[in-house]
Amino acid sequence: MQAPERVKDAAAAPASSGPRGAGLFPGPSVGSPPTPASGGRIVVDVSGKVRRPGIRHLPSGSRVADALRAAGGVRAGADVTGLNRARVLTDGEQILVGLPAVQAAAGGTAGGSGSGAVRAGPAAPVSLSTATVEQLDTLPGVGPVLAQHIVDYRTEHGGYRSVDELREVKGIGDRRFADLRPLVRP
């Protein structure tokens, strides 16, 4: 195993890779580029405020910055201060860009604003009118039983016309509603 390469005056690196880069990503990653032969490929989901969100296939050893480049870069105005762009990616993870980090459910790691590497819920608001029990289960504080109650309410009432109707679901009190409100839509 080799020692990592020394970073030679990273502050002197160019701040932009082009007119639309706006200083968010310097050119290639610092250090050795990932090599597919050393471990194959990984699949990550890049979501949030990037130009082309979606699933990206990258060489093993890729970093968050590489995934952001593969997604077309970060959109102007997106907050990336809590995003560790030097972190090495793992297969199956989700990188959230410019979205509030969500406390934990079983899911991928978030790379969005906040701590930069927390377990995450959904990247976009979950639709109460169409989400499955499994999708609702990814919300913080919602387990399979409560997710089923949310679906049962939807079935009995013909859908959700507003997020406030969530208060009427068995098992959702004021505190849980306050946590869920920004994460869902009717």
Side-chain angles (χ1 to χ4, degrees), residues 109-128:
T109 42
S113 62
S115 67
V118 297
R119 300 304 263 171
V126 173
S127 169
L128 295 171

mmCIF file with all atom_site columns, all heavy atoms in Angstrom, residues 109-128:
data_model
loop_
_atom_site.group_PDB
_atom_site.id
_atom_site.type_symbol
_atom_site.label_atom_id
_atom_site.label_alt_id
_atom_site.label_comp_id
_atom_site.label_asym_id
_atom_site.label_entity_id
_atom_site.label_seq_id
_atom_site.pdbx_PDB_ins_code
_atom_site.Cartn_x
_atom_site.Cartn_y
_atom_site.Cartn_z
_atom_site.occupancy
_atom_site.B_iso_or_equiv
_atom_site.pdbx_formal_charge
_atom_site.auth_seq_id
_atom_site.auth_comp_id
_atom_site.auth_asym_id
_atom_site.auth_atom_id
_atom_site.pdbx_PDB_model_num
ATOM 1   N N   . THR A 1 109 ? -26.487 7.312  2.448  1.00 0.00 ? 109 THR A N   1
ATOM 2   C CA  . THR A 1 109 ? -25.959 8.448  3.159  1.00 0.00 ? 109 THR A CA  1
ATOM 3   C C   . THR A 1 109 ? -26.246 9.698  2.383  1.00 0.00 ? 109 THR A C   1
ATOM 4   O O   . THR A 1 109 ? -26.232 9.716  1.173  1.00 0.00 ? 109 THR A O   1
ATOM 5   C CB  . THR A 1 109 ? -24.435 8.323  3.361  1.00 0.00 ? 109 THR A CB  1
ATOM 6   O OG1 . THR A 1 109 ? -23.864 7.841  2.173  1.00 0.00 ? 109 THR A OG1 1
ATOM 7   C CG2 . THR A 1 109 ? -24.100 7.471  4.523  1.00 0.00 ? 109 THR A CG2 1
ATOM 8   N N   . ALA A 1 110 ? -26.499 10.724 3.128  1.00 0.00 ? 110 ALA A N   1
ATOM 9   C CA  . ALA A 1 110 ? -26.781 12.006 2.503  1.00 0.00 ? 110 ALA A CA  1
ATOM 10  C C   . ALA A 1 110 ? -25.484 12.731 2.313  1.00 0.00 ? 110 ALA A C   1
ATOM 11  O O   . ALA A 1 110 ? -24.566 12.581 3.084  1.00 0.00 ? 110 ALA A O   1
ATOM 12  C CB  . ALA A 1 110 ? -27.700 12.826 3.394  1.00 0.00 ? 110 ALA A CB  1
ATOM 13  N N   . GLY A 1 111 ? -25.417 13.556 1.308  1.00 0.00 ? 111 GLY A N   1
ATOM 14  C CA  . GLY A 1 111 ? -24.243 14.381 1.125  1.00 0.00 ? 111 GLY A CA  1
ATOM 15  C C   . GLY A 1 111 ? -24.663 15.815 1.035  1.00 0.00 ? 111 GLY A C   1
ATOM 16  O O   . GLY A 1 111 ? -23.918 16.650 0.600  1.00 0.00 ? 111 GLY A O   1
ATOM 17  N N   . GLY A 1 112 ? -25.854 16.137 1.410  1.00 0.00 ? 112 GLY A N   1
ATOM 18  C CA  . GLY A 1 112 ? -26.396 17.481 1.283  1.00 0.00 ? 112 GLY A CA  1
ATOM 19  C C   . GLY A 1 112 ? -25.936 18.364 2.410  1.00 0.00 ? 112 GLY A C   1
ATOM 20  O O   . GLY A 1 112 ? -25.078 18.024 3.186  1.00 0.00 ? 112 GLY A O   1
ATOM 21  N N   . SER A 1 113 ? -26.534 19.537 2.516  1.00 0.00 ? 113 SER A N   1
ATOM 22  C CA  . SER A 1 113 ? -26.147 20.457 3.553  1.00 0.00 ? 113 SER A CA  1
ATOM 23  C C   . SER A 1 113 ? -26.470 19.845 4.898  1.00 0.00 ? 113 SER A C   1
ATOM 24  O O   . SER A 1 113 ? -27.285 18.967 5.033  1.00 0.00 ? 113 SER A O   1
ATOM 25  C CB  . SER A 1 113 ? -26.862 21.786 3.367  1.00 0.00 ? 113 SER A CB  1
ATOM 26  O OG  . SER A 1 113 ? -28.242 21.620 3.472  1.00 0.00 ? 113 SER A OG  1
ATOM 27  N N   . GLY A 1 114 ? -25.812 20.306 5.913  1.00 0.00 ? 114 GLY A N   1
ATOM 28  C CA  . GLY A 1 114 ? -25.948 19.700 7.220  1.00 0.00 ? 114 GLY A CA  1
ATOM 29  C C   . GLY A 1 114 ? -24.618 19.061 7.547  1.00 0.00 ? 114 GLY A C   1
ATOM 30  O O   . GLY A 1 114 ? -23.584 19.592 7.196  1.00 0.00 ? 114 GLY A O   1
ATOM 31  N N   . SER A 1 115 ? -24.610 17.911 8.179  1.00 0.00 ? 115 SER A N   1
ATOM 32  C CA  . SER A 1 115 ? -23.358 17.304 8.577  1.00 0.00 ? 115 SER A CA  1
ATOM 33  C C   . SER A 1 115 ? -22.622 16.666 7.409  1.00 0.00 ? 115 SER A C   1
ATOM 34  O O   . SER A 1 115 ? -21.472 16.326 7.537  1.00 0.00 ? 115 SER A O   1
ATOM 35  C CB  . SER A 1 115 ? -23.606 16.262 9.660  1.00 0.00 ? 115 SER A CB  1
ATOM 36  O OG  . SER A 1 115 ? -24.322 15.187 9.123  1.00 0.00 ? 115 SER A OG  1
ATOM 37  N N   . GLY A 1 116 ? -23.296 16.458 6.290  1.00 0.00 ? 116 GLY A N   1
ATOM 38  C CA  . GLY A 1 116 ? -22.620 15.954 5.112  1.00 0.00 ? 116 GLY A CA  1
ATOM 39  C C   . GLY A 1 116 ? -22.619 14.458 4.983  1.00 0.00 ? 116 GLY A C   1
ATOM 40  O O   . GLY A 1 116 ? -22.486 13.956 3.896  1.00 0.00 ? 116 GLY A O   1
ATOM 41  N N   . ALA A 1 117 ? -22.756 13.713 6.072  1.00 0.00 ? 117 ALA A N   1
ATOM 42  C CA  . ALA A 1 117 ? -22.749 12.263 5.952  1.00 0.00 ? 117 ALA A CA  1
ATOM 43  C C   . ALA A 1 117 ? -23.617 11.651 7.031  1.00 0.00 ? 117 ALA A C   1
ATOM 44  O O   . ALA A 1 117 ? -23.131 11.012 7.939  1.00 0.00 ? 117 ALA A O   1
ATOM 45  C CB  . ALA A 1 117 ? -21.322 11.733 6.041  1.00 0.00 ? 117 ALA A CB  1
ATOM 46  N N   . VAL A 1 118 ? -24.899 11.882 6.951  1.00 0.00 ? 118 VAL A N   1
ATOM 47  C CA  . VAL A 1 118 ? -25.832 11.293 7.896  1.00 0.00 ? 118 VAL A CA  1
ATOM 48  C C   . VAL A 1 118 ? -26.737 10.352 7.139  1.00 0.00 ? 118 VAL A C   1
ATOM 49  O O   . VAL A 1 118 ? -26.885 10.455 5.940  1.00 0.00 ? 118 VAL A O   1
ATOM 50  C CB  . VAL A 1 118 ? -26.682 12.371 8.603  1.00 0.00 ? 118 VAL A CB  1
ATOM 51  C CG1 . VAL A 1 118 ? -25.817 13.278 9.425  1.00 0.00 ? 118 VAL A CG1 1
ATOM 52  C CG2 . VAL A 1 118 ? -27.501 13.167 7.624  1.00 0.00 ? 118 VAL A CG2 1
ATOM 53  N N   . ARG A 1 119 ? -27.367 9.439  7.862  1.00 0.00 ? 119 ARG A N   1
ATOM 54  C CA  . ARG A 1 119 ? -28.340 8.579  7.215  1.00 0.00 ? 119 ARG A CA  1
ATOM 55  C C   . ARG A 1 119 ? -29.480 9.463  6.793  1.00 0.00 ? 119 ARG A C   1
ATOM 56  O O   . ARG A 1 119 ? -29.878 10.364 7.497  1.00 0.00 ? 119 ARG A O   1
ATOM 57  C CB  . ARG A 1 119 ? -28.822 7.505  8.184  1.00 0.00 ? 119 ARG A CB  1
ATOM 58  C CG  . ARG A 1 119 ? -27.699 6.608  8.683  1.00 0.00 ? 119 ARG A CG  1
ATOM 59  C CD  . ARG A 1 119 ? -26.950 5.949  7.585  1.00 0.00 ? 119 ARG A CD  1
ATOM 60  N NE  . ARG A 1 119 ? -27.433 4.610  7.362  1.00 0.00 ? 119 ARG A NE  1
ATOM 61  C CZ  . ARG A 1 119 ? -27.059 3.877  6.348  1.00 0.00 ? 119 ARG A CZ  1
ATOM 62  N NH1 . ARG A 1 119 ? -26.208 4.346  5.481  1.00 0.00 ? 119 ARG A NH1 1
ATOM 63  N NH2 . ARG A 1 119 ? -27.533 2.681  6.193  1.00 0.00 ? 119 ARG A NH2 1
ATOM 64  N N   . ALA A 1 120 ? -30.056 9.187  5.650  1.00 0.00 ? 120 ALA A N   1
ATOM 65  C CA  . ALA A 1 120 ? -31.021 10.120 5.086  1.00 0.00 ? 120 ALA A CA  1
ATOM 66  C C   . ALA A 1 120 ? -32.347 9.482  4.791  1.00 0.00 ? 120 ALA A C   1
ATOM 67  O O   . ALA A 1 120 ? -32.443 8.296  4.562  1.00 0.00 ? 120 ALA A O   1
ATOM 68  C CB  . ALA A 1 120 ? -30.462 10.689 3.797  1.00 0.00 ? 120 ALA A CB  1
ATOM 69  N N   . GLY A 1 121 ? -33.346 10.309 4.781  1.00 0.00 ? 121 GLY A N   1
ATOM 70  C CA  . GLY A 1 121 ? -34.662 9.930  4.309  1.00 0.00 ? 121 GLY A CA  1
ATOM 71  C C   . GLY A 1 121 ? -34.743 10.287 2.838  1.00 0.00 ? 121 GLY A C   1
ATOM 72  O O   . GLY A 1 121 ? -33.728 10.369 2.161  1.00 0.00 ? 121 GLY A O   1
ATOM 73  N N   . PRO A 1 122 ? -35.910 10.535 2.343  1.00 0.00 ? 122 PRO A N   1
ATOM 74  C CA  . PRO A 1 122 ? -36.068 10.827 0.934  1.00 0.00 ? 122 PRO A CA  1
ATOM 75  C C   . PRO A 1 122 ? -35.429 12.150 0.537  1.00 0.00 ? 122 PRO A C   1
ATOM 76  O O   . PRO A 1 122 ? -35.349 13.062 1.335  1.00 0.00 ? 122 PRO A O   1
ATOM 77  C CB  . PRO A 1 122 ? -37.584 10.883 0.757  1.00 0.00 ? 122 PRO A CB  1
ATOM 78  C CG  . PRO A 1 122 ? -38.117 11.171 2.113  1.00 0.00 ? 122 PRO A CG  1
ATOM 79  C CD  . PRO A 1 122 ? -37.155 10.568 3.084  1.00 0.00 ? 122 PRO A CD  1
ATOM 80  N N   . ALA A 1 123 ? -34.982 12.238 -0.712 1.00 0.00 ? 123 ALA A N   1
ATOM 81  C CA  . ALA A 1 123 ? -34.355 13.446 -1.214 1.00 0.00 ? 123 ALA A CA  1
ATOM 82  C C   . ALA A 1 123 ? -35.367 14.514 -1.547 1.00 0.00 ? 123 ALA A C   1
ATOM 83  O O   . ALA A 1 123 ? -35.067 15.686 -1.474 1.00 0.00 ? 123 ALA A O   1
ATOM 84  C CB  . ALA A 1 123 ? -33.542 13.126 -2.459 1.00 0.00 ? 123 ALA A CB  1
ATOM 85  N N   . ALA A 1 124 ? -36.537 14.153 -1.937 1.00 0.00 ? 124 ALA A N   1
ATOM 86  C CA  . ALA A 1 124 ? -37.583 15.091 -2.308 1.00 0.00 ? 124 ALA A CA  1
ATOM 87  C C   . ALA A 1 124 ? -38.798 14.792 -1.434 1.00 0.00 ? 124 ALA A C   1
ATOM 88  O O   . ALA A 1 124 ? -38.924 13.709 -0.888 1.00 0.00 ? 124 ALA A O   1
ATOM 89  C CB  . ALA A 1 124 ? -37.932 14.920 -3.782 1.00 0.00 ? 124 ALA A CB  1
ATOM 90  N N   . PRO A 1 125 ? -39.712 15.770 -1.300 1.00 0.00 ? 125 PRO A N   1
ATOM 91  C CA  . PRO A 1 125 ? -40.898 15.504 -0.484 1.00 0.00 ? 125 PRO A CA  1
ATOM 92  C C   . PRO A 1 125 ? -41.656 14.270 -0.982 1.00 0.00 ? 125 PRO A C   1
ATOM 93  O O   . PRO A 1 125 ? -41.816 14.050 -2.171 1.00 0.00 ? 125 PRO A O   1
ATOM 94  C CB  . PRO A 1 125 ? -41.740 16.762 -0.663 1.00 0.00 ? 125 PRO A CB  1
ATOM 95  C CG  . PRO A 1 125 ? -40.766 17.822 -1.044 1.00 0.00 ? 125 PRO A CG  1
ATOM 96  C CD  . PRO A 1 125 ? -39.696 17.118 -1.832 1.00 0.00 ? 125 PRO A CD  1
ATOM 97  N N   . VAL A 1 126 ? -42.118 13.470 -0.035 1.00 0.00 ? 126 VAL A N   1
ATOM 98  C CA  . VAL A 1 126 ? -42.862 12.248 -0.337 1.00 0.00 ? 126 VAL A CA  1
ATOM 99  C C   . VAL A 1 126 ? -44.329 12.614 -0.552 1.00 0.00 ? 126 VAL A C   1
ATOM 100 O O   . VAL A 1 126 ? -44.910 13.360 0.228  1.00 0.00 ? 126 VAL A O   1
ATOM 101 C CB  . VAL A 1 126 ? -42.727 11.237 0.823  1.00 0.00 ? 126 VAL A CB  1
ATOM 102 C CG1 . VAL A 1 126 ? -43.615 10.034 0.616  1.00 0.00 ? 126 VAL A CG1 1
ATOM 103 C CG2 . VAL A 1 126 ? -41.282 10.814 0.977  1.00 0.00 ? 126 VAL A CG2 1
ATOM 104 N N   . SER A 1 127 ? -44.924 12.079 -1.591 1.00 0.00 ? 127 SER A N   1
ATOM 105 C CA  . SER A 1 127 ? -46.333 12.325 -1.869 1.00 0.00 ? 127 SER A CA  1
ATOM 106 C C   . SER A 1 127 ? -47.193 11.430 -0.997 1.00 0.00 ? 127 SER A C   1
ATOM 107 O O   . SER A 1 127 ? -47.146 10.203 -1.113 1.00 0.00 ? 127 SER A O   1
ATOM 108 C CB  . SER A 1 127 ? -46.643 12.044 -3.343 1.00 0.00 ? 127 SER A CB  1
ATOM 109 O OG  . SER A 1 127 ? -48.044 12.050 -3.545 1.00 0.00 ? 127 SER A OG  1
ATOM 110 N N   . LEU A 1 128 ? -48.009 12.046 -0.140 1.00 0.00 ? 128 LEU A N   1
ATOM 111 C CA  . LEU A 1 128 ? -48.914 11.277 0.713  1.00 0.00 ? 128 LEU A CA  1
ATOM 112 C C   . LEU A 1 128 ? -49.968 10.552 -0.115 1.00 0.00 ? 128 LEU A C   1
ATOM 113 O O   . LEU A 1 128 ? -50.498 9.537  0.298  1.00 0.00 ? 128 LEU A O   1
ATOM 114 C CB  . LEU A 1 128 ? -49.600 12.201 1.720  1.00 0.00 ? 128 LEU A CB  1
ATOM 115 C CG  . LEU A 1 128 ? -48.668 12.852 2.748  1.00 0.00 ? 128 LEU A CG  1
ATOM 116 C CD1 . LEU A 1 128 ? -49.428 13.910 3.540  1.00 0.00 ? 128 LEU A CD1 1
ATOM 117 C CD2 . LEU A 1 128 ? -48.069 11.809 3.665  1.00 0.00 ? 128 LEU A CD2 1
#
